[in-house]
Structure formats: C-alpha cells, structure tokens
Amino acid sequence: MTRIIAPLIGLGFAFVLVLGLFGTITTASEPATAEHEFHLAPKPLELASNGVFGKFDKQQLQRGFQVYKEVCSACHSIHRVAFRDLADLGYNEGQVKAIAQQWTTEQPSTNPETGEPATRKNLPSDKFPKVYANDTAARAANNNAIPPDLSLMTKARPNGAAYVHSLLTGYGESPAEVQKEFPKFTTPDGLYFNRYFPTLNLAMPPPLASDGQVTYADGTKSTVDQMAKDVTAFLVWTAEPKLEARHTAGLASVIFLLIFIGLTIGAYKSVWRNVKH
Amino acid sequence: MSFPWAKHYEPKAPVMKWLDDRLPLPRLVYNAVGAGYPVPRNLNYFWNFGVLAGAALVIQIVTGIVLAMHYSTDANTAFDSVEAIMRDVNAGWFLRYAHANGASMFFIVVYTHICRGLYYGSYKAPREMVWLLGVVIFLLMMATAFMGYVLPWGQMSFWGAQVITGFFSAIPVVGETIRVWLLGGYAPDAAALNRFFSLHYLLPFVIAGVIILHIWALHIPGSSNPAGVEVKGEQDTVPFHPYYTAKDGIGLGVFLLVFALFLFFAPNMLGHPDNYIPANPLSTPAHIVPEWYFLPFYAILKSFTVDFILPAKLWGVLAMFGSILLLFFLPWLDTSPARTANHRPRYRMFLIILLVDVLILGYVGGAEASKTNVLIGQITTAYYFLHFLVILPIVSATERPKPVANSITEAVLKGKGGTAPAKSAIEGSPNPMPAE
Amino acid sequence: MASAENTVPPGESPRVHEDTIADPRRRDYLAIGAVAWAGVGAGVIALPLINSMSPSADVLALSTTEVDVSAIQPGQAIKASFRKQPLFVRNLTPDEINQANAVDVASLRDPQSLKDRTKAGKTNWLVTLGVCTHLGCVPLGAGEGENKGPFGGYFCPCHGSAYDTAGRIRSGPAPKNLAVPEYVFSNDTTIVVG
C-alpha cells in the first residue's frame, strides 16, 4: 500500500508546486525601491570589546555615559540598567550615589501622606527611570515617534554596534541620484535622511550635530565621530554588561576542553590498542 | 540481551551485590551502556551522535530547571525576568546563553544523527521501531523548541507563536476554533504564554521517556554499523564499555568545545536581533523567520503559492507536516536489500542531492521572499517530496547493490575502518571468502 | 553464507576484548585522568548552577532600608520592612526601660542587657526584626492593641513564645532574643538599617 500511495502523494505535491512555479514565473518582479537601492550596511566599527579577548575600555565607557547623559537621555531611557551597575564603569560608590541623586528624571513613587502618584530622587538600587510615563506620552512629545529604550539596542539590531555608530554619523542630504532614480522618494517634514536607516527616513533629528557638543573630562577631543563611538561603546556595555566575564570564562573553558580532548584521545588509543577497527 | 556472548553483570562491591539482588539497577545500566552491551567493533564517529544527543538533552534539562527558578511566566514581566537573569542573577547570563545555544547544539547533533541513519540505512529491518521512536523524539523536540522560543516574549517569540498557531487555522471549518483554543485567546497573550511554559517544562521529560524506549528498541537487534552487515559472532563486537565510552568521550569533548565557542564567543549568532525587542502585538518585524533549525520546513510552507482544489495555505501546512510525517514510512519506502548508501551508488547520489536540497531549503527559509527565492524554494521542495516518495521507492527497487562483505570482521580487516566495503567484494566474486 | 567461525581470519582472536583485558594496562592512567578531569569539569560547572540560586544583584542592592522614626510616640511601635522581613521599631517608655533593666541578665535564656541591644544614648529605641527566633512567625505587640504577652514586649501566637520589653525571650520555645539588625542613626529621627 505504502509503495502505491506514497508516489501518488509525492507526485501530487510536486504537481501543485509546478503549478506554483508557473505562477511565480508569470508574476512581475517587485519594483525596485529607494530603500532597497540606497540603504547602506553599517560601516565596520573597531571597539575594545570586540573579539575573543575583548575587554571594555572603561575611560571610553565613561565618556560614552557622559554623551548618553548629556545628549541621548533627554528622549531615550536605558531602563534595564540600574545606577548601581555604573560601578562597572569605574565609578566608586559615592560617585554612583551622586549620579543617581542628580539624575534629572526622577523615580515614580507615591506620596506617603496622600497616596497620590509622586516622584522621588533616584537611589543606586533603582533602574534608570523611563523618560516618558507611557507610549502615548512618548508619541505626543516626539512627533508621533516613540524613542526606543536603548538598553539592548546594540543587540536588537543586526550588527548592532556598527549600526548605532553608522546611524549617528550617517545623516546628510539625500544624494541627487536618489531623486533621479526614484522621483517619488521624498523626506517628509519632521523626518531626516539617513542611508543607514532601513527606510532611509528617520524620525530622530541628528543628535550629535557638532564637534565639541560634549566636553570630556579626560581631555579627549569630542568630534562627532568620537562621541558616536563612545556612546556606542557605552551601549554595547548596557546591552551586554557581562561580556568580560563571558570572555574570561570562555577562554578557561576552551583550555579545559582541549586538555579533556587530549586525555580522551589518549584513553581511546589505550583502550583500543589491540583491536582492529 | 540478544547476543549470547554478552557479558553478565557480576557485582564486585558487596553493596552493589546487595543492591543488585534487590533492585537490579546496576545490571540494567551495565547491560544498557556498560560492558554488557556488545557493539559492532567498526562504528565510526557518526555513531557518537546518539550519546551526544543524550548529553545535549541533559544540558537542556539542567540549565532549564535552574532558569525556571528565575523566569516569570507573565506576559508583562517575562521579558524583564529574562533580562534580570542576564544582568542580576549570579551566572544567569551563562545559564541563559547555555540554554539558548544548547537548543541549537541539540538540533545540530540530532540532524547529524538522522543523516547518519539515512546514509547507513539504520531505519531498515530489524530496527524500524528504533527509527519510528526517533521520529517521535524529533517531533517532540520541535514542539519543545518552539514553545521555549516563545518564553522570552520578544518580538520573534510573539510573532513566532502567532504564525505557528496560524498553521492550524488552515484546517477547513474548525481551524480558527482550534487556533483560538490553542492560544486561549485571539492572539498570543498571558494564557498562551502560561500553557507554553507548562508544556515546555513537561515535554523534555516525555522526550527522556521516549529516549529510553528508543534505546530499549535498539538493544533488541543491537547497533547497526557502517559495513552494512549484521553482527555474526563474538569477533564482530566489543563491549560498549570501555571501548565506546572512550570513543564517545572524544566526541563529547569536541561537542562541548564547539558548544563553548558559541556560548562564550558568539552567543547571539544563532539567535535573532528582533528577539531583544519586547513583544509588541501591534507591530510585526519587517522580516520574521523561525530559529535556524526550522528554516527548511518554513521554506516548504512558503513554497505553496497557488490554490488548487485546496487553498494554497492548506497545501503549505499539509506539506510542512507531511515532510516530517513521511519519515515514519521510510522503512517501508526503501525496499533495497542493501543497508548502507556505500553499497548503493545511485541512491547515494540522490541522497547527497537531498542533503544539498535541504541546505538550500534552509537558505530559502531564511531569505526574503523575492521571486528568485520563491522559485528556488518551489524546486527544492518538489525534490524533497520526490526524493522520499518517488525516487527512493523506484531506486531501491531497481538498483542492484554492490556485494556486501561477509562479516564485520572481514570488512574491518580488508576495508578501511569499515566505511568502505572490501575492494574484492566490489569487483570480485559475489561471495568472496577469506583465505583460510 | 559463511558461518561465524569461517569469517575469523588466522591470527585474529574470536574474543577481541578478552586479550585486551588480559594485557597489562600500561596506559590506564589516561582513562583515569580523563574521567577525573571530566569530574573536575562537572564540579566547576555545578558551581554557577548552585550559585545562581543565591540572592541576585538586584536583591542585594535593596539590602539597606531607611526608616523615619520621628512620628513614633513613646510606648508605640511601627512595622517597617527590611529585606522583605518585618522590622519592629519601638519607642520604649521610661517604665518599660526600667522593667527591662530590672531583670537579672544571668537568669535569661539568651543573656543580653537592654544596653547591649540598643545604641548608646538612644536606649529608648528598640529596633528588632519581627521574626520569632523559634520558627519564623511574626510576633504580636508592635501594632496598636495587639497582645504584648505576659512580659509586655512581644508575643508569638504560633507557639507561644513571649518576649519582654527589650525583645528578649522569656518563655516559650524560642531559643534566642529577637534579632537586632545592624543599623545606625543617620540623624535624630532617621535610622538606616543594613
């Protein structure tokens, strides 16, 4: 039975697929779009945390945190990170406490007397507060676009770190070829042209507009590219704070396993030495 | 035990004797994976993958139990709890990456195990039951992996749940009712997440149970072997322990090394960035794909694009389930008297084409649905079904296999490691005898 | 079909494993080494699995609590929360202090004076965990109108342990006095616990 029914089923599926094949051939190809033709893959980005032995450059993370604090944090939260986590960047307990105390956005709480919603100063044990109470408030304040939380940004986009850096440095006028090839393509009011953004038009205005926008305490020259790199490095840390521990553990594991493999090969040869196989 | 020369358990320590007299557990282990199980002496490294699959399951269960202690099964907090595991729980990042990459490793191992079975004809009589139970394990694994992927409640989790439960809505008349029943709502939400977690925790233990049946069924005829000839006598076998425990040790080391490289140095390579965005029921990611191990089946689903008697959607779902279910009939579709593809050159050619075909299906499953990709997908899907349901029955009935060595020992002594039949057996007389 | 015996070529023992076992095991140490090494690995892997069950970083970060005690009148107590456990802060009356000091410390099950259990100059502030040292119930006596037990301090309703005005165990099954957590007065009206 199987041998009669099976070929019939197989030929049945194949027949339907051949019908589909003709259907596919006769459909017109999707027309090319400006997004498809002009979207760029992110530029390669070298960071200290890259690679098998990668470690964070704490100076750079502190600079990146400064850029985040002075520029990005006006609209974007890093809600999955706690103030206490900043100790990883090399800040001591007092500095962390001060950063939490002085953070502009306060933690939501309740008024102990009236029970009404209120806010209080941040503590080191708090997560970074959300900038907007909810999505509706975020939309209302930002021309109908929600500024995403940045905690996981470098893991939530393909090639995330390079993407963030390229996006921050990739603003510009749309080149003439775009208009020539796709006359219908426009950048609407309130959107900004950026070839690293999938749809080419991005709701975020260029956040790093000019050199020297942030004054670094360590004297590093704050060019737009430098600031973009630093904040990217910081966002790699917010997304993957355990990266260094992971690399160290990985190295130890690989060495351990290589020794284990060596021992088992020896044991195997010893056990099988008199048996042809 | 089926082989009369299998060694019998003789407890050395008095405590083991005491235990064995009352509960013969030591004997059971001894006969299952100890010196009491005679195994063909010519197994190659592809025979490691059964043990490795067992190791992968153990890793998943152990890491999973600990992760479940920290995970929150609530649509509002599931994503946060996973991030808390990654950031705040001691070694939580290790557990979570081990579990996520462990699933991929499990599938790599099981796919290799299945390919070994296909190539060396391990599904053929008298081991049909081993194969059938194996396909059951594979189906359970797929269900478990899918439900596990939903648990972090990221964008891919959510839309994966939406799409996969959508398969059932293709069933005429009652489909939509079934889908709503499966989800406990009109879209994936709290109810779906809770039941997926419950089943995700349950199914691995069901898998472990079926694995015991799988090994039990294997021990009746004993392991197959690359020479394609059954064990004829004691000289053909060695005891599982220490011979194959030693060999599996090497395999285990290499497996763990590959696992460690992913876990520690590329933990997100096999995942998808969109799953680091919390689930948003109002916005579908631009390009949704399942985990890599489902991509070939996803390609089959996508390849049916025209209505013909049945709607295209139903064709796709039928074909996708059919592509796995047909494996249940494999032992009866393949009627060749020869066991391994080494002795069946024409079948081997088609089998290699199938392997390439499935790899292409995997690519198409993950690629965007451009015209070329759809075309490639339709051709490769057609080959998949034709291979198993048309080509295999015809080739196995018509191809005259090369002569097989008389025994494993002969294959070992004449061929290289038993993977190739003895030269004289290929060209020489149909029944070559070793010089006495 | 050749019989099993026929397929054994000359020089090849029919029991291949037997002569291995008969052989002296010169390189057995490799097998033992591999198994021992695997054991070490399993042990090292077990550590993070076990350690993951210890309090996580966010739990540890919550381990200090500030309590404002300005509103507590003498004779009153409040229940606060410290590390998810009840914390009793009690403003003792001079009478209660005298009662506590009148007890012969040596006669107690867990000998401690009130002075040992309070901060210098602040002996009227009794800060204890509200966890009975018997089996962890919350004793009564901190809330308004609750049963303070025969010794005027706290009374555990689960198994009848009675504590005095210094929170010391006086009768019942509990072995220890109510625990005094580490705390400091950050100013006259605020204590920081932990």
Side-chain angles (χ1 to χ4, degrees), chain A residues 43-75:
Chain A
K43 296 173 284 191
L45 175 67
E46 273 306 313
L47 288 176
S49 52
N50 289 359
V52 173
F53 302 104
K55 293 241 181 288
F56 289 119
D57 173 351
K58 288 189 181 175
Q59 275 301 312
Q60 184 175 36
L61 294 193
Q62 292 201 1
R63 293 198 300 271
F65 173 60
Q66 192 185 349
V67 176
Y68 168 73
K69 187 172 106 179
E70 293 179 20
V71 182
C72 319
S73 71
C75 306

mmCIF file of all heavy atoms in Angstrom, chain A residues 43-75:
data_model
loop_
_atom_site.group_PDB
_atom_site.id
_atom_site.type_symbol
_atom_site.label_atom_id
_atom_site.label_comp_id
_atom_site.label_asym_id
_atom_site.label_seq_id
_atom_site.Cartn_x
_atom_site.Cartn_y
_atom_site.Cartn_z
ATOM 1 N N LYS A 43 28.980 50.733 8.630
ATOM 2 C CA LYS A 43 30.443 50.737 8.475
ATOM 3 C C LYS A 43 31.057 49.866 9.564
ATOM 4 O O LYS A 43 30.556 49.862 10.691
ATOM 5 C CB LYS A 43 31.000 52.158 8.638
ATOM 6 C CG LYS A 43 30.542 53.134 7.591
ATOM 7 C CD LYS A 43 30.994 54.543 7.937
ATOM 8 C CE LYS A 43 30.145 55.153 9.038
ATOM 9 N NZ LYS A 43 30.341 56.588 9.259
ATOM 10 N N PRO A 44 32.141 49.157 9.255
ATOM 11 C CA PRO A 44 32.787 48.359 10.300
ATOM 12 C C PRO A 44 33.234 49.267 11.446
ATOM 13 O O PRO A 44 33.637 50.411 11.226
ATOM 14 C CB PRO A 44 34.004 47.753 9.601
ATOM 15 C CG PRO A 44 33.798 47.962 8.146
ATOM 16 C CD PRO A 44 32.836 49.087 7.979
ATOM 17 N N LEU A 45 33.128 48.767 12.667
ATOM 18 C CA LEU A 45 33.486 49.573 13.833
ATOM 19 C C LEU A 45 34.410 48.768 14.737
ATOM 20 O O LEU A 45 34.096 47.650 15.122
ATOM 21 C CB LEU A 45 32.219 49.962 14.604
ATOM 22 C CG LEU A 45 32.449 50.718 15.915
ATOM 23 C CD1 LEU A 45 33.021 52.093 15.651
ATOM 24 C CD2 LEU A 45 31.155 50.823 16.697
ATOM 25 N N GLU A 46 35.553 49.349 15.063
ATOM 26 C CA GLU A 46 36.506 48.699 15.971
ATOM 27 C C GLU A 46 36.242 49.166 17.393
ATOM 28 O O GLU A 46 36.303 50.356 17.676
ATOM 29 C CB GLU A 46 37.948 49.065 15.569
ATOM 30 C CG GLU A 46 38.545 48.154 14.510
ATOM 31 C CD GLU A 46 38.493 46.690 14.878
ATOM 32 O OE1 GLU A 46 38.852 46.344 16.035
ATOM 33 O OE2 GLU A 46 38.072 45.873 14.028
ATOM 34 N N LEU A 47 35.950 48.234 18.275
ATOM 35 C CA LEU A 47 35.783 48.575 19.685
ATOM 36 C C LEU A 47 36.673 47.664 20.519
ATOM 37 O O LEU A 47 36.969 46.546 20.110
ATOM 38 C CB LEU A 47 34.331 48.385 20.122
ATOM 39 C CG LEU A 47 33.310 49.401 19.617
ATOM 40 C CD1 LEU A 47 31.924 48.999 20.061
ATOM 41 C CD2 LEU A 47 33.642 50.800 20.099
ATOM 42 N N ALA A 48 37.070 48.169 21.694
ATOM 43 C CA ALA A 48 37.932 47.366 22.563
ATOM 44 C C ALA A 48 37.250 46.070 22.985
ATOM 45 O O ALA A 48 37.900 45.083 23.294
ATOM 46 C CB ALA A 48 38.316 48.179 23.799
ATOM 47 N N SER A 49 35.900 46.085 22.997
ATOM 48 C CA SER A 49 35.181 44.900 23.456
ATOM 49 C C SER A 49 35.011 43.862 22.357
ATOM 50 O O SER A 49 34.506 42.771 22.604
ATOM 51 C CB SER A 49 33.803 45.315 23.979
ATOM 52 O OG SER A 49 33.139 46.095 23.010
ATOM 53 N N ASN A 50 35.422 44.178 21.126
ATOM 54 C CA ASN A 50 35.308 43.205 20.038
ATOM 55 C C ASN A 50 36.270 42.050 20.228
ATOM 56 O O ASN A 50 37.287 42.178 20.905
ATOM 57 C CB ASN A 50 35.632 43.865 18.690
ATOM 58 C CG ASN A 50 34.548 44.827 18.259
ATOM 59 O OD1 ASN A 50 33.558 44.994 18.952
ATOM 60 N ND2 ASN A 50 34.747 45.467 17.128
ATOM 61 N N GLY A 51 35.962 40.956 19.594
ATOM 62 C CA GLY A 51 36.915 39.853 19.527
ATOM 63 C C GLY A 51 36.890 38.959 20.743
ATOM 64 O O GLY A 51 36.238 39.244 21.748
ATOM 65 N N VAL A 52 37.651 37.870 20.623
ATOM 66 C CA VAL A 52 37.644 36.827 21.638
ATOM 67 C C VAL A 52 38.220 37.328 22.963
ATOM 68 O O VAL A 52 37.785 36.929 24.034
ATOM 69 C CB VAL A 52 38.449 35.625 21.107
ATOM 70 C CG1 VAL A 52 38.637 34.574 22.176
ATOM 71 C CG2 VAL A 52 37.771 35.026 19.901
ATOM 72 N N PHE A 53 39.196 38.206 22.884
ATOM 73 C CA PHE A 53 39.831 38.699 24.108
ATOM 74 C C PHE A 53 39.297 40.080 24.505
ATOM 75 O O PHE A 53 39.879 40.748 25.342
ATOM 76 C CB PHE A 53 41.352 38.770 23.940
ATOM 77 C CG PHE A 53 41.963 37.448 23.578
ATOM 78 C CD1 PHE A 53 42.373 37.181 22.281
ATOM 79 C CD2 PHE A 53 42.118 36.460 24.542
ATOM 80 C CE1 PHE A 53 42.916 35.952 21.939
ATOM 81 C CE2 PHE A 53 42.661 35.228 24.207
ATOM 82 C CZ PHE A 53 43.059 34.973 22.909
ATOM 83 N N GLY A 54 38.212 40.508 23.871
ATOM 84 C CA GLY A 54 37.722 41.868 24.059
ATOM 85 C C GLY A 54 37.431 42.227 25.511
ATOM 86 O O GLY A 54 36.878 41.439 26.261
ATOM 87 N N LYS A 55 37.875 43.425 25.902
ATOM 88 C CA LYS A 55 37.573 43.965 27.232
ATOM 89 C C LYS A 55 37.019 45.368 27.010
ATOM 90 O O LYS A 55 37.318 46.005 26.013
ATOM 91 C CB LYS A 55 38.852 44.068 28.066
ATOM 92 C CG LYS A 55 39.468 42.742 28.438
ATOM 93 C CD LYS A 55 39.509 42.596 29.957
ATOM 94 C CE LYS A 55 40.138 41.284 30.389
ATOM 95 N NZ LYS A 55 39.274 40.128 30.123
ATOM 96 N N PHE A 56 36.240 45.857 27.978
ATOM 97 C CA PHE A 56 35.736 47.215 27.844
ATOM 98 C C PHE A 56 36.852 48.214 28.127
ATOM 99 O O PHE A 56 37.695 47.989 28.991
ATOM 100 C CB PHE A 56 34.587 47.452 28.821
ATOM 101 C CG PHE A 56 33.333 46.720 28.462
ATOM 102 C CD1 PHE A 56 32.791 45.779 29.312
ATOM 103 C CD2 PHE A 56 32.688 46.977 27.260
ATOM 104 C CE1 PHE A 56 31.625 45.098 28.977
ATOM 105 C CE2 PHE A 56 31.526 46.307 26.920
ATOM 106 C CZ PHE A 56 31.002 45.372 27.783
ATOM 107 N N ASP A 57 36.839 49.334 27.405
ATOM 108 C CA ASP A 57 37.725 50.449 27.698
ATOM 109 C C ASP A 57 36.937 51.371 28.625
ATOM 110 O O ASP A 57 36.032 52.082 28.192
ATOM 111 C CB ASP A 57 38.086 51.142 26.367
ATOM 112 C CG ASP A 57 38.869 52.423 26.580
ATOM 113 O OD1 ASP A 57 38.988 52.868 27.739
ATOM 114 O OD2 ASP A 57 39.344 52.978 25.573
ATOM 115 N N LYS A 58 37.241 51.310 29.950
ATOM 116 C CA LYS A 58 36.391 51.990 30.933
ATOM 117 C C LYS A 58 36.366 53.492 30.733
ATOM 118 O O LYS A 58 35.350 54.149 30.953
ATOM 119 C CB LYS A 58 36.854 51.648 32.350
ATOM 120 C CG LYS A 58 36.499 50.222 32.692
ATOM 121 C CD LYS A 58 36.725 49.889 34.124
ATOM 122 C CE LYS A 58 36.341 48.425 34.328
ATOM 123 N NZ LYS A 58 36.616 47.944 35.660
ATOM 124 N N GLN A 59 37.517 54.074 30.324
ATOM 125 C CA GLN A 59 37.548 55.509 30.027
ATOM 126 C C GLN A 59 36.520 55.833 28.947
ATOM 127 O O GLN A 59 35.761 56.780 29.045
ATOM 128 C CB GLN A 59 38.953 55.904 29.534
ATOM 129 C CG GLN A 59 39.924 56.218 30.657
ATOM 130 C CD GLN A 59 39.417 57.361 31.511
ATOM 131 O OE1 GLN A 59 39.005 58.403 31.001
ATOM 132 N NE2 GLN A 59 39.410 57.161 32.825
ATOM 133 N N GLN A 60 36.511 54.976 27.903
ATOM 134 C CA GLN A 60 35.580 55.215 26.802
ATOM 135 C C GLN A 60 34.136 55.047 27.268
ATOM 136 O O GLN A 60 33.268 55.827 26.884
ATOM 137 C CB GLN A 60 35.891 54.255 25.648
ATOM 138 C CG GLN A 60 35.019 54.535 24.435
ATOM 139 C CD GLN A 60 35.386 53.682 23.244
ATOM 140 O OE1 GLN A 60 35.756 52.518 23.389
ATOM 141 N NE2 GLN A 60 35.291 54.257 22.057
ATOM 142 N N LEU A 61 33.896 54.041 28.127
ATOM 143 C CA LEU A 61 32.532 53.838 28.623
ATOM 144 C C LEU A 61 32.074 55.064 29.419
ATOM 145 O O LEU A 61 30.929 55.498 29.311
ATOM 146 C CB LEU A 61 32.456 52.601 29.511
ATOM 147 C CG LEU A 61 32.698 51.247 28.847
ATOM 148 C CD1 LEU A 61 32.287 50.117 29.778
ATOM 149 C CD2 LEU A 61 31.954 51.121 27.534
ATOM 150 N N GLN A 62 32.997 55.643 30.221
ATOM 151 C CA GLN A 62 32.623 56.841 30.995
ATOM 152 C C GLN A 62 32.306 57.995 30.053
ATOM 153 O O GLN A 62 31.344 58.737 30.278
ATOM 154 C CB GLN A 62 33.757 57.221 31.946
ATOM 155 C CG GLN A 62 33.961 56.200 33.054
ATOM 156 C CD GLN A 62 34.695 56.769 34.254
ATOM 157 O OE1 GLN A 62 35.038 57.950 34.268
ATOM 158 N NE2 GLN A 62 34.918 55.952 35.265
ATOM 159 N N ARG A 63 33.121 58.139 29.002
ATOM 160 C CA ARG A 63 32.826 59.197 28.024
ATOM 161 C C ARG A 63 31.485 58.933 27.355
ATOM 162 O O ARG A 63 30.671 59.839 27.169
ATOM 163 C CB ARG A 63 33.927 59.263 26.961
ATOM 164 C CG ARG A 63 35.280 59.719 27.464
ATOM 165 C CD ARG A 63 36.166 60.171 26.308
ATOM 166 N NE ARG A 63 36.410 59.124 25.320
ATOM 167 C CZ ARG A 63 37.415 58.257 25.382
ATOM 168 N NH1 ARG A 63 38.283 58.310 26.384
ATOM 169 N NH2 ARG A 63 37.566 57.340 24.455
ATOM 170 N N GLY A 64 31.264 57.640 27.000
ATOM 171 C CA GLY A 64 30.001 57.279 26.357
ATOM 172 C C GLY A 64 28.822 57.557 27.266
ATOM 173 O O GLY A 64 27.781 58.048 26.819
ATOM 174 N N PHE A 65 28.999 57.253 28.562
ATOM 175 C CA PHE A 65 27.928 57.536 29.521
ATOM 176 C C PHE A 65 27.645 59.029 29.571
ATOM 177 O O PHE A 65 26.494 59.461 29.640
ATOM 178 C CB PHE A 65 28.297 57.005 30.900
ATOM 179 C CG PHE A 65 27.322 57.397 31.974
ATOM 180 C CD1 PHE A 65 25.992 57.025 31.882
ATOM 181 C CD2 PHE A 65 27.728 58.156 33.059
ATOM 182 C CE1 PHE A 65 25.076 57.389 32.858
ATOM 183 C CE2 PHE A 65 26.816 58.537 34.030
ATOM 184 C CZ PHE A 65 25.493 58.158 33.935
ATOM 185 N N GLN A 66 28.729 59.820 29.495
ATOM 186 C CA GLN A 66 28.551 61.279 29.514
ATOM 187 C C GLN A 66 27.740 61.734 28.294
ATOM 188 O O GLN A 66 26.843 62.566 28.411
ATOM 189 C CB GLN A 66 29.924 61.949 29.539
ATOM 190 C CG GLN A 66 29.844 63.439 29.847
ATOM 191 C CD GLN A 66 31.214 64.104 29.739
ATOM 192 O OE1 GLN A 66 32.248 63.440 29.633
ATOM 193 N NE2 GLN A 66 31.209 65.428 29.767
ATOM 194 N N VAL A 67 28.069 61.164 27.118
ATOM 195 C CA VAL A 67 27.311 61.528 25.917
ATOM 196 C C VAL A 67 25.856 61.115 26.094
ATOM 197 O O VAL A 67 24.930 61.884 25.799
ATOM 198 C CB VAL A 67 27.915 60.855 24.660
ATOM 199 C CG1 VAL A 67 27.059 61.155 23.435
ATOM 200 C CG2 VAL A 67 29.344 61.312 24.445
ATOM 201 N N TYR A 68 25.659 59.882 26.610
ATOM 202 C CA TYR A 68 24.288 59.426 26.827
ATOM 203 C C TYR A 68 23.556 60.400 27.749
ATOM 204 O O TYR A 68 22.441 60.819 27.479
ATOM 205 C CB TYR A 68 24.257 58.012 27.419
ATOM 206 C CG TYR A 68 22.873 57.665 27.917
ATOM 207 C CD1 TYR A 68 21.842 57.389 27.016
ATOM 208 C CD2 TYR A 68 22.565 57.715 29.280
ATOM 209 C CE1 TYR A 68 20.562 57.148 27.455
ATOM 210 C CE2 TYR A 68 21.281 57.476 29.723
ATOM 211 C CZ TYR A 68 20.280 57.198 28.802
ATOM 212 O OH TYR A 68 19.005 56.989 29.237
ATOM 213 N N LYS A 69 24.235 60.766 28.857
ATOM 214 C CA LYS A 69 23.596 61.600 29.872
ATOM 215 C C LYS A 69 23.264 62.983 29.315
ATOM 216 O O LYS A 69 22.171 63.494 29.513
ATOM 217 C CB LYS A 69 24.547 61.732 31.066
ATOM 218 C CG LYS A 69 23.953 62.426 32.271
ATOM 219 C CD LYS A 69 24.887 62.325 33.454
ATOM 220 C CE LYS A 69 25.545 63.658 33.687
ATOM 221 N NZ LYS A 69 26.461 63.641 34.844
ATOM 222 N N GLU A 70 24.218 63.564 28.573
ATOM 223 C CA GLU A 70 24.024 64.944 28.147
ATOM 224 C C GLU A 70 23.216 65.059 26.859
ATOM 225 O O GLU A 70 22.652 66.113 26.586
ATOM 226 C CB GLU A 70 25.385 65.639 27.985
ATOM 227 C CG GLU A 70 26.086 65.791 29.326
ATOM 228 C CD GLU A 70 27.452 66.453 29.214
ATOM 229 O OE1 GLU A 70 27.701 67.131 28.204
ATOM 230 O OE2 GLU A 70 28.263 66.269 30.140
ATOM 231 N N VAL A 71 23.196 64.001 26.042
ATOM 232 C CA VAL A 71 22.514 64.108 24.752
ATOM 233 C C VAL A 71 21.308 63.154 24.687
ATOM 234 O O VAL A 71 20.165 63.595 24.603
ATOM 235 C CB VAL A 71 23.484 63.814 23.584
ATOM 236 C CG1 VAL A 71 22.762 63.990 22.253
ATOM 237 C CG2 VAL A 71 24.711 64.713 23.669
ATOM 238 N N CYS A 72 21.566 61.867 24.751
ATOM 239 C CA CYS A 72 20.510 60.883 24.447
ATOM 240 C C CYS A 72 19.411 60.844 25.498
ATOM 241 O O CYS A 72 18.243 60.610 25.189
ATOM 242 C CB CYS A 72 21.096 59.489 24.326
ATOM 243 S SG CYS A 72 22.652 59.398 23.466
ATOM 244 N N SER A 73 19.814 61.040 26.798
ATOM 245 C CA SER A 73 18.872 60.750 27.877
ATOM 246 C C SER A 73 17.689 61.709 27.903
ATOM 247 O O SER A 73 16.730 61.484 28.639
ATOM 248 C CB SER A 73 19.585 60.779 29.224
ATOM 249 O OG SER A 73 19.934 62.099 29.553
ATOM 250 N N ALA A 74 17.748 62.766 27.079
ATOM 251 C CA ALA A 74 16.596 63.655 27.017
ATOM 252 C C ALA A 74 15.374 62.919 26.485
ATOM 253 O O ALA A 74 14.243 63.219 26.870
ATOM 254 C CB ALA A 74 16.922 64.855 26.131
ATOM 255 N N CYS A 75 15.588 61.960 25.591
ATOM 256 C CA CYS A 75 14.455 61.246 24.997
ATOM 257 C C CYS A 75 14.500 59.736 25.248
ATOM 258 O O CYS A 75 13.463 59.082 25.284
ATOM 259 C CB CYS A 75 14.401 61.458 23.482
ATOM 260 S SG CYS A 75 14.382 63.180 22.979
#
